[in-house]
Amino acid sequence: METLAQFGDGGPGPWILLFPLIWALVIGGGITLLRRTVWRGPRGPVRPGAVADDSPITVLGHRFASGEIDEDEYWRRLSVLDEQFGRTGRGGAA
């Protein structure tokens, strides 16, 4: 019994089954490559209302954490910054 379109008479033979597999691997590899490079979103976790590292609110938080300013001064300055930058809530918690 001959297989796959007259293998003995010059037909493609069983190797014809590899072409769909090769195309599936090429398409899957392309999608994987795009997902790892182009389609990737922002790196790292993104929090709603997150503040940039060099923003005035972050600098104020670092000064409070290092002990340069006390708690009353921190809250007073933070309320001014909240009004200026449009953040809401005490401490700007999201």
Side-chain angles (χ1 to χ4, degrees):
M1 181 162 122
E2 296 181 23
T3 59
L4 295 174
Q6 298 126 4
F7 176 65
D9 292 335
W15 299 106
I16 193 75
L17 296 176
L18 287 179
F19 288 110
L21 179 63
I22 291 171
W23 278 111
L25 289 173
V26 167
I27 291 171
I31 290 174
T32 301
L33 182 67
L34 287 173
R35 287 186 68 199
R36 295 180 71 93
T37 57
V38 178
W39 293 340
R40 191 173 197 107
R43 308 279 183 193
V46 177
R47 296 176 294 149
V51 181
D53 287 337
D54 58 345
S55 72
I57 294 175
T58 304
V59 172
L60 181 64
H62 288 294
R63 289 186 63 199
F64 176 63
S66 67
E68 292 180 40
I69 58 175
D70 62 351
E71 185 177 2
D72 292 331
E73 186 174 356
Y74 171 77
W75 287 116
R76 184 175 49 82
R77 291 183 181 203
L78 185 62
S79 66
V80 172
L81 291 174
D82 280 342
E83 291 173 8
Q84 185 176 9
F85 290 102
R87 293 180 49 132
T88 58
R90 186 169 176 114

